[in-house]
Structures are given as structure tokens and as C-alpha cells.
Amino acid sequence: MGKLYLEKNVYDATIERLQKVFSEDVAVYFCFSGGKDSSVMLQLANRVAQEKNRTFDVLFIDLEGNYTYTIDHINELKLLSQIDTFYWVCLPLVLRNAVSQLSTHWFCWNKRQKDLWIRDMPDDCVNEDNYLTKYGWDWFQKGMQFETFIMAFAEWYQKKHQKEVMCGVGIRSNESFNRFRTIVSLRKTKWHNMQWTTLLKTEENLPIYNFYPIYDWQTRDIWIAVAKFDLKYNELYELFYKAGVSIHEARICQPYGDDQRKGLDQFKAIEPDTWSKVLLRTGGANFGNIYAKSLALAHMKLKKPLELTWQQYTVYLLESIGMRNMTLMVHYARKIKRFVRWYEQKGVAIPDYAPRYLETQKRAPSWRRCAKMILKNDYYGRGLSFAQTKRDDMELKQMLEEDGDYNYGRCD
């Protein structure tokens, strides 16, 4: 049947969505990263808000390991006319570290490592010394994870404004299947039955919604809008393009994530001074620079030594981790033990491997899935169908405390 299109372009559709939001009596803020998508979203929102004589707030979570170009771009967008409060957050959050199999997470803006910070902290930011006096964030705890902070901020924002909250998020559905599912889900609760919105939570009988103004845009649409409407943009993308990085692959947020690590090798070429600080700050950074696009970090087809079975290889990986990080080894071993026991109770013996499509869909157990969990630094064991638990978070905190916040500078 092919694709069906409405009789309007994505730009006009986005302006209509923003007009709808700013026409209602709701509190509005936007999550901003300094990347191309959130940058275009923010500038279009500013234009519509100006027409509607409305203001909005912005939440920017500074993850310390940013390019200088990104910080420059954020500073220029802070000056948009309709922004009321720009929450520049530099708090010690626990972040994913997908480039090390010994240090699965790291602390940004950790005062214990101030002498190794990648950048100086901005003067006007929300930080560990002023978050209580500046905004009364008694809900914040050092070592919160990014996702937990996002939810807690939304709840605080709703209580502050005492009205419905609309949080603008600059995701596009063609970037990943999970993002596509977020948009098209028929089970979710929507704002005014608008498919481009999702109920996040209800606080004090007042709902908090995410809305996605540019969800149907493609990468080329972003750059067309930048050129056609003379929008400001992060000049880092020009350097990426000159270095041979596709416009579809360029990522600018914290470089140690599962997707972002694929561009880690560009960091040293684009900002060598910043890169030298990254090497000291985060365990496994240079390992990710060299091997993030290789089998070493399970980026491509998963392989093992020919003389070992997948079960033996899993045990070998556990023992290798245990030589440097016993707590992490025990954590993974417990996940695997529960995984195996669950199937054994159903009378199913864990095979060495199963058809790949069944493993991918998590419909068949195998020791290969166990090995993959370790190789992909899957700390919470989502590849084995586990979810994040309080016990996992407690063990993570214990590792951070025992290992000096992950022995920065270690070459894994």
C-alpha cells in the first residue's frame, strides 16, 4: 500500500501542535540537550510562544562531558526571548558508561573528583551546593540516575505550578523502534486525544504529559528548517560532517552511551584538549575509542573463542571481571543464576544457543544471551528480561563507594 501522507508538511504540523499547546492553560517546559533536534524544537517553540504572548521554561541537564561547541550553542539559545527560567543542571548524577565492562557507570560533577572535571562548572547552574537554597529540591539525592531525575523534576514542576504540565521532548520516531512505539501506542493515555502526546504521571489529580512536536521529522527536515528559517545550530555538526560522519549518525550528548560511543573516536580529532581530560575522567574511554565499532563491545555479530561453549565463555567473562571488580561479578552471576533457575523450574534446560531471532525477541533462553548481557555492559540484565530494581541501584551505589567512583583513568 505504501506510505500515506497528510496534505501538510512536517513544519506546518509542528507549528499547529505548538499552537495547540500554547493556547491552553498549561505549564510548559522543554527538555534541551544542545543537539539538532531539541535545538530546532526550542526555536520553533519560541516563535509560536511569541505569537501567543506566552513563556516557557527549559531543562538542560549538563552531563559534564560536552563539547565546547555544544556549550557555546546552549549559551546562545539561553537568550531566546520567551524563556522564563532556564534550569541549567550540574548535579552529581550516575550515568551509563558503555565503554567499560568493569565500570558500568560513572558520576558526573562529582566533587570528590573536581580536579579531574572535564570542564569548569558554569557560574549560574544548579549544583550540589545550591540546589536546596535556589529551588528547594529536597527530593534530589546524590547519585540519582538520569531517568529518575527527569521524573522527579517533572513532579516538582507540577507542584510548583499547580496545573497541567506539558513537557516538550525533541525525539523523532524514525530514530529507533522504541521511539516509534512511544508515539504510535494505542494503549497510552493522551492529552486531548492527540497521538503526539503521552501521559507521564498524574500528581495531585493534575496530569503531566510529554509531547513530541517534531516526532514525524526526518534528519534532512531538521537541516532544511535550519537553512530555510535561518535557525541557530550547533556548529559541531559541521565538524562531524567534515570528518566523514553521516548526518544520521552524529550524536552530541554524553559520549559513553550505547549509541553515542560509536562516535567516540571523533572526540579526540575534534577537541583534543577536551579528549585528554576525558581519558583521565572516565574508565574505558580510550578502549571505546578504539573498539566501540568492533566485536569487542558486541557492536557487530557476537562471537566467542572456538574452543569454548557459550556457557564456558560466560563463566570466563565472569571470572575476568571478578579479578578487577568482585562486586560486579557477583551482581552478574546472581542475574544469570535467577535466569537459569526460572527456566529449570519450568523443566527447561538452558541450551548453549538458540535461533538468533528467538534470542533477540527474548523468546528462547540460552547461554549466548548470558554472555551477551556481560559483553554489552547490560548492568540491569534487560537482555535476560530483568527490570531495574532497588537492589540493583544499591549494589551500584556500593560499587561507586568501594571503587573510588570507578577508579577513573583506568585503561580496561
Side-chain angles (χ1 to χ4, degrees), residues 302 304 309-314 335-337 339-344 348-374 383-386:
L302 196 63
K304 63 170 179 61
T309 65
W310 283 106
Q311 182 176 0
Q312 291 170 337
Y313 189 43
T314 301
K335 294 279 186 187
I336 294 171
K337 183 178 180 179
F339 178 74
V340 172
R341 182 185 298 167
W342 191 87
Y343 278 99
E344 287 180 343
V348 178
I350 304 295
D352 209 43
Y353 58 91
R356 289 187 183 275
Y357 75 95
L358 291 178
E359 291 182 355
T360 302
Q361 298 172 7
K362 302 177 184 177
R363 291 168 53 194
S366 72
W367 283 102
R368 180 162 59 187
R369 282 178 63 185
C370 298
K372 186 175 182 179
M373 176 190 71
I374 299 171
L384 300 186
S385 301
F386 290 109

Side-chain angles (χ1 to χ4, degrees), residues 22 26-31 54-59 82-87 135-137 139 149-168 200 203-204 206-209 211:
F22 284 119
V26 295
V28 183
Y29 74 94
F30 291 87
C31 289
R54 292 285 303 273
T55 61
F56 57 87
D57 300 317
V58 176
L59 172 63
Q82 304 309 111
I83 295 179
D84 186 4
T85 303
F86 193 100
Y87 297 96
Y135 295 116
W137 287 357
W139 45 266
F149 179 90
I150 289 289
M151 178 63 74
F153 176 87
E155 294 170 359
W156 169 82
Y157 190 84
Q158 188 278 322
K159 291 176 181 176
K160 176 185 177 183
H161 291 272
Q162 288 298 307
K163 58 174 62 176
E164 281 190 356
V165 169
M166 302 296 291
C167 170
L200 190 63
E203 284 287 313
E204 300 180 0
L206 292 172
I208 303 169
Y209 292 94
F211 72 101

Side-chain angles (χ1 to χ4, degrees), residues 116 121 133 170 179-180 182 192 216 247 252 293 343 368:
L116 292 174
M121 186 178 285
T133 56
R179 293 186 175 189
F180 174 77
T182 297
H192 291 190
D216 47 0
I247 62 172
I252 61 94
K293 297 180 182 180
Y343 278 99
R368 180 162 59 187

Side-chain angles (χ1 to χ4, degrees), residues 93-104:
L93 301 176
V94 170
L95 305 175
R96 175 91 166 100
N97 182 16
V99 296
S100 171
Q101 289 168 337
L102 297 173
S103 306
T104 60

Side-chain angles (χ1 to χ4, degrees), residues 163-293:
K163 58 174 62 176
E164 281 190 356
V165 169
M166 302 296 291
C167 170
V169 184
I171 65 172
R172 294 182 291 108
S173 59
N174 73 337
E175 284 193 302
S176 73
F177 182 62
N178 284 337
R179 293 186 175 189
F180 174 77
R181 289 194 305 173
T182 297
I183 303 299
V184 304
S185 172
L186 299 178
R187 299 179 181 179
K188 67 179 182 179
T189 301
K190 303 179 287 269
W191 180 72
H192 291 190
N193 204 34
M194 300 292 180
Q195 193 66 40
W196 42 273
T197 66
T198 301
L199 177 66
L200 190 63
K201 192 173 184 180
T202 298
E203 284 287 313
E204 300 180 0
N205 296 320
L206 292 172
I208 303 169
Y209 292 94
N210 281 346
F211 72 101
Y212 316 101
I214 62 169
Y215 80 90
D216 47 0
W217 289 44
Q218 297 184 19
T219 304
R220 63 187 301 272
D221 296 322
I222 295 292
W223 294 114
I224 290 172
V226 168
K228 187 172 183 178
F229 303 110
D230 194 27
L231 302 179
K232 300 181 186 299
Y233 65 97
N234 189 335
E235 295 183 6
L236 178 63
Y237 287 104
E238 286 193 4
L239 298 181
F240 276 139
Y241 187 73
K242 291 177 181 177
V245 180
S246 163
I247 62 172
H248 305 287
E249 294 293 330
R251 298 286 186 275
I252 61 94
C253 45
Q254 75 105 356
Y256 323 110
D258 293 278
D259 292 328
Q260 297 81 6
R261 68 185 183 182
K262 291 182 286 187
L264 189 57
D265 58 336
Q266 298 300 323
F267 215 129
K268 63 176 182 180
I270 293 174
E271 287 191 15
D273 291 340
T274 306
W275 174 248
S276 64
K277 297 177 181 179
V278 168
L279 291 177
L280 292 174
R281 185 73 174 94
T282 310
N286 199 47
F287 179 80
N289 158 52
I290 299 171
Y291 297 111
K293 297 180 182 180

